[in-house]
């Protein structure tokens, strides 16, 4: 595989770039001619006309609209690396967590400084869960945050 310089890797913007709609009318030769202009690279061998059209359409849309957000790119990289770990639900400041343990109700508040429990600020819910139980616990699981997040996700998935 040959190395490409940074200039060769960058898509080139031109005023003569066709619209996404125009790609549907182009034949294979037209797509092959357009590829280096839009993508900034040589056309990969063996790429079908349908894939050429899809890649070019995506790149034209990225050039026009700015592309994927940073969060989406991070998520794609995470999935590409084979990580299947689900995101922990984000907890807004001011959130309160309640948990009854051995007859005692524990109340935790998420503040700017961390998690407030019994007048002390802790760095994580897990540290509080360990202090309450004496054993290592996933803090979000102990306080029911993961269960609530997955229940909300399952409600969005309605079977047909």
């Amino acid at each position: 595989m040959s190395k490409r310089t940074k200039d060769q890797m960058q898509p080139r913007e031109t005023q003569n770039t066709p619209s996404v709609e125009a790609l549907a009318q182009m034949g294979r030769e037209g797509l092959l001619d357009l590829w280096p202009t839009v993508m900034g690279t040589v056309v990969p061998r063996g790429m079908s006309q349908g894939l050429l059209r899809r890649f070019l359409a995506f790149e034209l849309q990225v050039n026009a609209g700015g592309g994927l957000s940073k969060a989406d790119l991070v998520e794609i990289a995470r999935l590409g690396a084979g990580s299947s770990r689900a995101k922990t639900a984000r907890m807004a400041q001011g959130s309160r967590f309640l948990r009854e343990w051995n007859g005692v109700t524990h109340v935790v508040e998420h503040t700017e400084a961390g998690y407030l429990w019994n007048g002390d600020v802790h760095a994580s819910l897990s540290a509080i869960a360990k202090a309450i139980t004496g054993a290592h616990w996933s803090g979000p699981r102990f306080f029911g945050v993961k269960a609530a997040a997955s229940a909300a996700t399952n409600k969005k998935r309605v079977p047909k």
Side-chain angles (χ1 to χ4, degrees):
M1 184 182 261
S2 65
K3 291 187 177 183
R4 291 179 235 149
T5 65
K6 190 173 183 179
D7 292 337
Q8 291 171 321
M9 297 286 287
Q10 298 299 322
R12 288 178 244 149
E13 308 255 345
T14 65
Q15 293 177 344
N16 298 335
T17 304
S19 67
V20 173
E21 293 81 19
L23 291 177
Q25 307 305 320
M26 291 180 122
R28 182 170 179 79
E29 290 303 315
L31 296 171
L32 291 172
D33 291 340
L34 182 61
W35 185 278
T37 304
V38 174
M39 304 300 281
T41 64
V42 296
V43 181
R45 280 192 201 152
M47 188 173 277
S48 70
Q49 184 173 338
L51 279 178
L52 285 168
R53 188 172 284 119
R54 286 182 186 106
F55 275 97
L56 287 167
F58 177 80
E59 198 64 31
L60 290 173
Q61 290 172 341
V62 166
N63 290 341
L68 298 171
S69 69
K70 187 174 181 178
D72 288 339
L73 293 172
V74 168
E75 181 70 5
I76 290 168
R78 182 186 68 78
L79 292 170
S83 174
S84 62
R85 182 176 175 179
K87 289 183 180 178
T88 302
R90 291 231 156 84
M91 296 165 260
Q93 290 181 13
S95 298
R96 298 182 86 192
F97 308 96
L98 293 129
R99 172 66 194 257
E100 188 271 328
W101 184 260
N102 290 339
V104 178
T105 301
H106 298 274
V107 180
V108 176
E109 186 172 341
H110 186 204
T111 65
E112 190 174 313
Y115 295 92
L116 182 64
W117 173 66
N118 285 349
D120 294 325
V121 176
H122 297 266
S124 68
L125 287 174
S126 297
I128 296 169
K130 185 172 184 176
I132 291 170
T133 64
H136 176 74
W137 271 80
S138 162
R141 180 173 289 165
F142 180 79
F143 285 99
V145 176
K146 285 187 177 181
S150 64
T153 302
N154 289 337
K155 282 184 180 179
K156 290 179 187 175
R157 296 181 189 152
V158 178
K160 292 184 179 180

